[in-house]
Amino acid sequence: MERHTREEKIEAIGKVIDTLDRLRVECPWDRKQTYESLRPNTIEEVYELCDALIKHDDADIRKELGDVLLHVLFYAKIGEEKGAFDICDVAESLNAKLIFRHPHVFGAVDVADSHEVEQNWEHIKLKERGGNRTVLAGVPATLPALIKAYRVQEKAANVGFDWEERSQVWDKVREELQEFASEADKMDSENMESEMGDVLFSLINVARLYDINPENALEKTNAKFIKRFNYIEAKAKEIGKSLKDVTLGDMDAWWNEAKSI
């Protein structure tokens, strides 16, 4: 792949800004967009980028990054029109934050590894002017529950609230499973829901402690299940039946076939 110079990169970003400036004036759709109207599209674009990242599809990653970049520039353009900020303010604020949060690079702080960097990161964010007032304040309330659980555990661990040995977490998992089983025996739906949440939270803790991102792990399992289930459905269609008309034994056999593909 051709490597671009710094000047070429800056020029390319400038072209997009110029194009967006023109669209904001001349295109009826672009002209009417607001923070609120763009927000759902932004969420969709980020999820599409995540799909491409999971697939390691470089061409698609490049395309989806472009879509996300467009949204960043679009929000900055709207901010500029409101007189609140522009893309220069966004970039300068980001650069200042990066420098402030990396004293081991731009200052005199020494760190041994990436774990110490993460620990310092949380302490630094608490000191930032206008930053998070509490350790967990920076976790967005609207994050999906699985990702949120991982992030709150990670942030708590970075300030010392963690297991002394990661193997200790298995006792917690067993404890939570037993508590759920006890409530399941009683068929107490409210307590079952609560205990299931505790089971899932403890398993996410296992993933974190063993350096596994639970979101990525679950997404790969989702994809694996979908592929195998689609195989079962295709096999049923081959013999002219729907899934509800075949036996569980047939489905199990086809599932095992799909596992070997």
Side-chain angles (χ1 to χ4, degrees), residues 92-104:
E92 288 182 347
S93 176
L94 171 61
N95 191 54
K97 180 167 66 176
L98 288 173
I99 293 172
F100 182 73
R101 291 187 180 180
H102 291 79
H104 54 286

Side-chain angles (χ1 to χ4, degrees), residues 194-213:
S194 175
E195 296 300 339
M196 177 54 71
D198 292 344
V199 169
L200 294 173
F201 195 84
S202 67
L203 288 173
I204 291 168
N205 229 338
V206 171
R208 178 185 62 82
L209 289 165
Y210 285 84
D211 298 319
I212 297 169
N213 185 297

